[in-house]
Amino acid sequence: MATFLNDSPVFGPVRSRRLGLSLGVNMMPASGKICSFDCLYCENGFNSERRCDGRHNSASAVLLALEAKLREMSAQGELPDVITFAGNGEPTGAPEFPEAIAGAVKLRNELAPMAKIAVLSNGTFADRPAVHDALMLVDDNILKLDTVDPAYIELLDRPVGSYDIEHQIETFASFNGHVIVQTMFLAGEYGDKKLDNTGDEYVTPWLTALDRIRPQEATIYTVARETPAPDLRKATPDVLDAIARRVEALGIPCQVSY
């Protein structure tokens, strides 16, 4: 399938369904993925197909590139709505992620004061004190929680190494509301396994977790780009809207992307 890798250390800007005009920051090299998940729906492809010998970018390299791009965009009269740490894998796994965030905040304040800073993360490193502190500095701390069912997590998100969902929920709750929970809802097949996390057996426990976490917002979405697993299908707008209503019934705002 036509998956892709992002430029590095910055990419875009691109028009995001959820974030507006987004300037991407990539802590990973342009040559491959470095990720603690291997999601079936990842637009960057499977980890095994995107191996690279490169290391994470340093904070200094990222910040030099970010400053140059922001100055270029300012000269063109269109600054980003958001500076988004994402890229080819898990940004918080980069050794100098905290330093990169601190520097990005300073650059934003100087060059694009109306822009937000967002991080798209699977949350696997969010319990590290330095990462936790860095995520508290950003405007949109967006952490993934596709389901709370361990078997489904292994099927869909495919963590690299151990993954304890109870620990993840506790970690997300430790942000005391300074977190946006992001969830992919989809259907389809992978090999001989059926995929569908839109049924009540998945949604109700996920809602219970949201109620424990009490995020500032939930954002739910479905497949929009090519995926490395070819037989995935979108969740329908009616299904997403019904889930969103259940989230809002908890007193949690919910953004839906179709």
Side-chain angles (χ1 to χ4, degrees), residues 84-150:
T84 307
F85 281 72
N88 304 333
E90 175 50 46
T92 65
E96 296 186 13
F97 170 78
E99 293 85 353
I101 289 292
V105 170
K106 291 180 181 178
L107 286 174
R108 183 275 307 275
N109 293 346
E110 176 187 353
L111 300 174
M114 300 302 292
K116 291 184 175 182
I117 296 179
V119 177
L120 298 178
S121 171
N122 62 34
T124 51
F125 301 106
D127 61 345
R128 295 182 176 180
V131 172
H132 194 284
D133 290 347
L135 292 174
M136 290 297 293
L137 296 177
V138 307
D139 300 283
D140 291 341
N141 170 29
I142 305 172
L143 303 182
K144 177 188 298 293
L145 188 69
D146 289 336
T147 177
V148 298
D149 182 274

